[in-house]
Amino acid sequence: MNKIFINSMALFVLSIMATNLWGQYCVTAGPSSTFDSNTEGVTLAGDAGTTIAYTGCTAGGVSGVEDLTATQIVNVTASSSYTADVQFGTCGGNYAGAGEAWIDWNQNDIFEASESLGTWTGTPPSTLSSFAFTVPANALTGTTRMRVMQEEKGTLPLD
């Protein structure tokens, strides 16, 4: 079982049948203003009733990076399929940008292009982005991280 966490730059944790995913390796970055573009929400239903249910911009915007690995955890199973729903948006100003979500299946602390769940570009408010994925059969078991990133004026690929 894997666990996943989220961050805005949000990190979440996934726990894959003996693997946990959680979010965010960055300690700096993210929005510099609470009025900037932000990830508005992330949901992911996992195994045994576990769920990531993140809502951003609840008390204004978010500045910096959010590390949600202690509170947003979901269990997933190797070779099983899931969908992560991400609402890229804004806590105030509507500025074009790009967004992406990754899961660090090999737990090497690097979110590689091969671990991307999907991308988004546009100007918020935007439609919900649904990223369907299957947990790789060879995903390492234990705690794994998920990153969700939105970059104002950003272009793909994000890093």
Side-chain angles (χ1 to χ4, degrees):
M1 178 184 298
N2 287 338
K3 291 185 182 177
I4 301 178
F5 293 94
I6 301 181
N7 186 349
S8 175
M9 186 140 83
L11 290 179
F12 303 88
V13 173
L14 288 174
S15 177
I16 300 173
M17 246 2 231
T19 298
N20 296 326
L21 298 179
W22 65 99
Q24 187 167 329
Y25 297 121
C26 296
V27 292
T28 60
S32 59
S33 166
T34 58
F35 193 70
D36 287 341
S37 298
N38 272 274
T39 304
E40 289 183 9
V42 178
T43 58
L44 173 59
D47 300 334
T50 60
T51 303
I52 288 175
Y54 167 77
T55 302
C57 303
T58 55
V62 174
S63 62
V65 175
E66 289 183 276
D67 183 350
L68 306 172
T69 57
T71 60
Q72 298 287 327
I73 302 169
V74 66
N75 298 324
V76 297
T77 303
S79 301
S80 294
S81 297
Y82 304 87
T83 300
D85 292 322
V86 180
Q87 182 66 58
F88 295 103
T90 180
C91 294
N94 295 332
Y95 307 102
E100 190 163 1
W102 303 261
I103 296 175
D104 186 20
W105 298 118
N106 60 9
Q107 300 175 13
N108 67 351
D109 295 346
I110 299 170
F111 292 98
E112 295 138 339
S114 63
E115 296 172 326
S116 177
L117 301 181
T119 61
W120 165 86
T121 58
T123 302
S126 64
T127 59
L128 186 69
S129 296
S130 292
F131 303 131
F133 65 95
T134 299
V135 178
N138 63 346
L140 296 178
T141 58
T143 300
T144 304
R145 294 178 187 219
M146 175 181 183
R147 170 184 281 166
V148 176
M149 180 179 177
Q150 180 175 341
E151 185 177 348
E152 192 171 286
K153 298 182 184 175
T155 58
L156 297 173
L158 293 175
D159 181 13

